[in-house]
Amino acid sequence: MNVDQDVLQDLAPTGVLRAAINYGNPVLAQRGADGQPGGVSTALATALAAELGVAIEFVTFDAAGKVFAALPEACWDLAFLAIEPVRAEEIEFSHPYVIIEGTYLVRENSPFHSVAELDRKGLRLAVGKGAAYDLFLSRTLSEAELVRAPTSAAAVDWFVEQQLDAAAGVRQPLEGFARANPGYRVLDDSFTEIRQAMAVPKGRLAGARFIRTFLNEKIRSGFVAEQLRQSGQQDVRVGPEVA
């Protein structure tokens, strides 16, 4: 495929597509038995590199907030992050390729059964620092206190160890924890839909247009749905195509 030079300059300025992979969201990325990244975000990055005709290099992180914080270091050209206003000031986003729910993990005997009940004075809620749901809850909570752990996985540990009132996070990994650890449950409703998108640094407009077209084709062809299925994440919603 013949790719315009301005697209290559935006997406692979070093001659290699450097893709940030966030292990903090296991819906999108998982570390394989060989230590290499897998999952839908990894598959999309690999397919994009092939379309560009360049090699790929994975730059891995354990939290989305750390991916965003690394932006000034210019160590990645492509990332997979939830669309958030704070991030959009410095990042060009595609449309979402996956839509997931943000909700709470609580103890089985907790009196709380809906997300709205957890915004009360005196309640302390664990959250991964800089995660999409941290940014959302920071804007929307008026009474409860957020206790920020370094990563989303650590937020669950802090919730348990510090006897906090709930842990905020992505529904699927929270439900996995509850299944593996009797005495915990996940609330049925959610406080937000988290729209996961492909992203490039602000101002790389040719690259941003290219990935939007690329992603539309990958959604339309069923590639995204198939990669989610192969990684055991078929119970999440694929984002819609855009005009």
Side-chain angles (χ1 to χ4, degrees), residues 13 18 43 45 58 65 68 70 85 89 120 124 127 136 147 164 177 179 188 196 200 207 222 225 229:
R18 299 172 301 169
F58 295 115
F68 184 67
E89 294 176 6
R120 296 183 185 178
R124 303 176 72 220
V127 66
F136 178 83
V147 180
L164 303 178
F177 179 89
R179 284 193 297 270
D188 291 336
Q196 297 288 344
V200 298
R229 186 194 67 78

Side-chain angles (χ1 to χ4, degrees), residues 55-76:
I56 189 161
E57 175 187 331
F58 295 115
V59 186
T60 59
F61 297 83
D62 61 5
K66 295 180 182 181
V67 177
F68 184 67
L71 185 59
E73 301 171 19
C75 64
W76 56 261

Side-chain angles (χ1 to χ4, degrees), residues 107-205:
R107 290 173 185 78
E108 189 64 55
N109 62 0
S110 169
F112 306 115
H113 293 274
S114 70
V115 297
E117 296 176 72
L118 281 156
D119 190 11
R120 296 183 185 178
K121 186 173 284 296
L123 296 187
R124 303 176 72 220
L125 315 176
V127 66
K129 182 179 180 180
Y133 32 91
D134 175 20
L135 300 178
F136 178 83
L137 292 171
S138 296
R139 292 196 310 271
T140 57
L141 289 178
S142 58
E143 300 291 342
E145 175 191 353
L146 292 176
V147 180
R148 293 179 175 87
T151 66
S152 298
V156 175
D157 295 337
W158 283 25
F159 157 67
V160 173
E161 294 164 6
Q162 299 181 31
Q163 294 291 300
L164 303 178
D165 296 289
V170 173
R171 177 174 297 281
Q172 284 79 9
L174 294 183
E175 289 179 339
F177 179 89
R179 284 193 297 270
N181 296 271
Y184 298 91
R185 58 183 170 85
V186 177
L187 300 188
D188 291 336
D189 61 347
S190 59
F191 52 76
T192 189
E193 283 190 337
I194 301 169
R195 299 174 298 148
Q196 297 288 344
M198 299 177 74
V200 298
K202 197 75 172 176
R204 299 191 188 184
L205 300 180

